[in-house]
Amino acid sequence: MFIFEVRRMDLGQNADKSALYRWLRVDKDTLKVTPLTFVSMNSSGIFDERFFKQGYLSFDSQKAVFIAESSSVQHILDINWPDDLPDFLEVAVHSFLTKLRKEAQIEPPSEE
């Protein structure tokens, strides 16, 4: 699996963390993108933690561990930066985020 932390650039630093960031889980085999439901975050300076309804993520600059709530299985993940992502992952995440943005747009009322 892949876990993405995506930061919105149109909100200020003081915005609520759940609005400022989105976390996405991508299945490695199917490339299905599933949003993670944010609960809280913590940073100790040595490692960072993210708590979701679907599990727990802990990471430092080298490695990450995701523990799924449903199975308690530990998934060891590598840390990658956007410039290092394979094209197929970038396309899957971009498509998902584009779909979210379109769904969030409210159509103007029709003038009937």
Side-chain angles (χ1 to χ4, degrees):
M1 84 173 65
F2 303 94
I3 305 284
F4 286 87
E5 183 172 278
V6 180
R7 182 178 184 277
R8 289 184 58 174
M9 302 305 286
D10 61 335
L11 298 176
Q13 288 287 357
N14 295 331
D16 184 76
K17 300 293 186 217
S18 62
L20 187 59
Y21 294 98
R22 294 279 190 241
W23 292 270
L24 307 173
R25 179 179 176 171
V26 181
D27 182 277
K28 199 172 199 174
D29 296 324
T30 64
L31 297 181
K32 179 182 177 191
V33 180
T34 307
L36 295 172
T37 306
F38 176 73
V39 175
S40 66
M41 64 175 24
N42 186 33
S43 180
S44 69
I46 297 170
F47 61 93
D48 290 284
E49 298 173 300
R50 306 293 186 261
F51 298 89
F52 308 100
K53 287 185 179 178
Q54 298 86 350
Y56 164 77
L57 178 68
S58 175
F59 60 96
D60 61 20
S61 62
Q62 303 294 316
K63 293 284 181 191
V65 176
F66 181 76
I67 302 171
E69 179 70 29
S70 60
S71 66
S72 297
V73 173
Q74 289 191 13
H75 301 274
I76 308 299
L77 308 170
D78 292 325
I79 302 292
N80 292 294
W81 298 100
D83 294 342
D84 300 332
L85 293 178
D87 289 342
F88 67 90
L89 275 178
E90 191 174 327
V91 168
V93 171
H94 184 267
S95 295
F96 181 82
L97 293 174
T98 299
K99 180 182 172 189
L100 277 182
R101 186 173 47 232
K102 286 180 181 176
E103 289 174 357
Q105 291 178 350
I106 298 171
E107 294 294 322
S110 61
E111 296 183 30
E112 294 180 13

